[in-house]
Amino acid sequence: MSQQREPAVAGLFSEEDGVRLHGAKCTTCNTPYFPKAAHCRNPDCDESKIEPCSFGGGGVLWSYSVADFPPPAPHKYDKPFVPYVIGVVDMDNGLRLVGQMADGLEAMRIGARVELAIESIYHEAGKAFTSWKFKLL
Amino acid sequence: MQEVVVLGVGLHRFGKTGDGVVGEKSVTELCRHAVDRALKDAGVSWKQIQAVAAASSRFSGGKGWGLNGNDVVEDLGCTGIPVYNLSAGCAAGGNAFNIGYSLVAGGIHDLVLVVGGEVMPKGMIQTSGVEDANDPEFLRQRCVGMPGPSFWATLARRRMFDYGTTEEQMAKVTVKARKCSESNPYARFQKAVSLDEVLASPYVSNPLRLFEICPVSNGAAAAVICSKAMARRFTSQPITVASSAVATIRFDDALPRSLANPVPSGASFHTEAKAAVMKAFEMSSIGPRDISFTELQDNTCYYELAFPEEWGLCEPGEAERLLEAGETAPTGRMPINPSGGFVSFGEATTAMGVFQIAELTWQLRGQSGGRQVPGAKVGLAQTNGLGGNATAAILKR
C-alpha cells in the first residue's frame, strides 16, 4: 500500500534525488550549518559569506542513547510507543548531526559507519510523516 | 568592588505535588517559606531588603509556567524595590545569585535577596511549547525526539567508550548520593538505596536508569547576601563569596544544541560549565586543589564522573576510582554533592543554584550534621541550564 509521504517539517530535507539535508555553508571558513543559518556563527570567522548547501552521504557514529519512554510534545510518535535509538553522527560533510537510528540497540557500536535515509517517524491523517535517520552499513 | 557575604539561607523541603511535604502549595507559598527562613537566618527584616534577584524558568519557545519574582515580592509586601527576573533554564538560580552578587559587589545595593522556586509540571521537561521551525528545540523534538535524559545518556555512553566506565559504576554514584540524603532534612528522598535497587530500576534513556537521573520536584530556596561592611551589623561569622561567574556554551561544544554542529576539532565537553568554573577559580585566585567540597549539577550521576576531572579536581579518567574508594563521600578526599545532590532532591529548576548556596553555607558553618564535610573551608557550586547556560560560585569561611 503506498501512502502519501510528507516531511515532518517542511523544507528541511528532500528525498527525490537521494537524501539531501538543506542547510548552508560559510564559504569564508567552511563551517557547515543544518538547518541553514542566516549568518556565520563561528567567532573566529573574518567575514560571514553564507551560501545554501545540501548535505547527504554517510558518517561515523560518535555516540547514542535510547528514548525508552515517549518524549513530551512537540514530539509525535505512533502508538503504541516503540523505544528507538538516537544517534549523534560525525558526517563526512563536516556536520555532527543528531537523528533517530533505523536499527535497534543491539546493533549499536560507537565508530560504526552509517548512511542517511528518509523514513517515517509518525503517521497522522492518512499520511506518513518523515524525517532523516541513520542506517548502519 | 565590595566584598560580598552570605548572611542567611533557607529552603523549603523538596517534594512532589500532592505529597505530605509540598502538597498543593503554590510556588509563591514555597518561596515565602524559604525567604522567611533566610531572613530569620540572616537576622534581617523584609523591609531592609534593597533588591531581589529571582530565578525565572521561562524557557525558549514560550513555556509559561515558573517563578515570577514579582509575585514573591507582592506576597512579602510591595516595598517598591527592584526585581530582576533571570531566565537561564536550570542555571537560572545560579544566574540570579550572580546578579545579586554583582549588584552588591558593584556597590549598587548593600542587601539583596536571591530566590528560586518551582512547582514543576509532571514528567519529562517539555523544552519547546511552540510549532515554530525557528525554535531549535522544536526542530530537535519534532524531527528526532530527543528528551533531556537522552542528552545526558549520549554523553554517558561516550564516556563509557572513552574511559571504560561501567553501568555499575554509574549506579554507585547514586548509592553514594542517596546515602548522603539520609541526613538531609530538605531532600525529597531521605532513604539510602542499594546497588541492586539502582540497577533494577528501569532505563529512562539507556544507559541511564530511573534512579540515576533527577526527577522533577517542587521546592524553593533563598539567600540573603550583603556587603562585608554591612555584615558586621548582623553577624560575626559571615560566609564570604570568593567569586561568582556565568558562562555560555562555546561554538565548538561537543553536543549540538539543536540538530547539528560542525564536528569539533578535539574533545570539547560541557564548554559552558567548564568556562564558568574556570572563571570562578580565576576571579578568586582559588585553585581546584583548594576546594574542600563541590555541589555540582547532577541531573544525572554521569556529571559527577565527568565534571571533576574537567575542572582539575582530579585527573582525567580518575573519577570512577575515587568514587569506588569512597573519596567522593563527605569524609573523602574529593567530596562531591554532600547534600545528596539533584538525584536526591529532584529538580525544582530555578531553585537549584540557590539551594547549592544554602548547602555551601551550612557546610562552611559546620551545620550539616551527618553529611558534614569535616573541616570544610572552601566550597564550589555549579549549575547548567538549557540553552547553553552555566554558572559557578566559590564560597569560603
Side-chain angles (χ1 to χ4, degrees), chain B residues 22-377:
Chain B
V22 297
E24 303 298 329
K25 283 185 191 175
S26 69
V27 65
T28 311
E29 283 176 277
L30 296 173
C31 287
R32 177 63 182 253
H33 178 92
V35 171
D36 281 345
R37 290 209 163 191
L39 290 172
K40 197 170 170 222
D41 188 41
V44 166
S45 76
W46 166 240
K47 283 170 79 170
Q48 290 174 289
I49 297 291
Q50 298 167 355
V52 174
S56 188
S57 57
R58 311 290 162 111
F59 288 128
S60 64
K63 286 290 291 172
W65 52 273
L67 176 65
N68 176 2
N70 298 72
D71 295 342
V72 177
V73 171
E74 183 184 41
D75 185 60
L76 285 152
C78 290
T79 52
I81 57 174
V83 179
Y84 301 89
N85 285 294
L86 284 315
S87 167
C90 306
N95 239 346
F97 182 75
N98 177 263
I99 292 300
Y101 164 84
S102 302
L103 290 171
V104 177
I108 308 296
H109 299 292
D110 284 319
L111 189 58
V112 172
L113 171 70
V114 183
V115 62
E118 215 63 79
V119 170
M120 295 292 287
K122 276 184 189 159
M124 283 192 259
I125 293 175
Q126 189 182 337
T127 49
S128 175
V130 292
E131 299 261 339
D132 180 354
N134 293 312
D135 177 20
E137 278 298 322
F138 168 76
L139 290 180
R140 185 160 64 186
Q141 299 313 332
R142 178 58 54 82
C143 297
V144 181
M146 188 178 188
S150 289
F151 196 87
W152 309 324
T154 301
L155 294 165
R157 174 64 66 186
R158 183 69 203 189
R159 185 175 179 87
M160 291 169 78
F161 178 79
D162 287 337
Y163 290 110
T165 307
T166 64
E167 291 189 33
E168 188 166 297
Q169 285 170 325
M170 289 198 278
K172 283 178 179 169
V173 178
T174 299
V175 173
K176 188 269 308 173
R178 292 287 294 271
K179 178 79 191 140
C180 292
S181 78
E182 281 187 310
S183 49
N184 195 333
Y186 298 101
R188 172 168 158 190
F189 307 116
Q190 297 180 15
K191 197 169 148 281
V193 290
S194 69
L195 185 61
D196 288 345
E197 284 174 286
V198 179
L199 289 172
S201 68
Y203 287 117
V204 172
S205 184
N206 188 312
L208 297 176
R209 298 169 182 280
L210 185 63
F211 285 13
E212 295 167 347
I213 62 167
C214 69
V216 291
S217 284
N218 301 354
V224 175
I225 60 176
C226 74
S227 62
K228 188 148 207 171
M230 183 185 241
R232 293 194 194 99
R233 284 163 45 189
F234 298 99
T235 175
S236 57
Q237 287 181 309
I239 299 301
T240 302
V241 184
S243 61
S244 164
V246 173
T248 52
I249 205 161
R250 263 195 356 214
F251 177 67
D252 64 347
D253 194 78
L255 205 51
R257 200 195 139 198
S258 176
L259 299 176
N261 267 7
V263 176
S265 54
S268 55
F269 292 95
H270 325 111
T271 52
E272 72 281 55
K274 184 172 177 178
V277 172
M278 291 304 127
K279 216 163 156 187
F281 283 146
E282 197 186 313
M283 286 170 71
S284 61
S285 300
I286 286 171
R289 305 289 163 144
D290 303 321
I291 299 295
S292 313
F293 68 101
T294 301
E295 284 285 329
L296 58 79
Q297 177 147 344
D298 62 323
N299 288 111
T300 157
C301 52
Y302 156 76
Y303 283 137
E304 264 203 53
L305 299 173
F307 281 161
E309 64 188 38
E310 289 170 11
W311 306 340
L313 297 174
C314 67
E315 298 302 317
E318 196 190 16
E320 287 80 358
R321 188 181 65 70
L322 290 172
L323 163 75
E324 292 185 312
E327 300 292 4
T328 59
T331 51
R333 171 155 87 69
M334 187 183 76
I336 307 287
N337 292 357
S339 68
F342 289 28
V343 162
S344 304
F345 272 72
E347 187 170 17
T349 51
T350 62
M352 305 318 283
V354 192
F355 137 76
Q356 292 178 334
I357 297 300
E359 177 66 13
L360 260 59
T361 301
W362 289 323
Q363 286 284 352
L364 294 169
R365 288 176 181 165
Q367 296 174 332
S368 292
R371 63 184 194 284
Q372 180 67 43
V373 173
K377 286 193 176 69

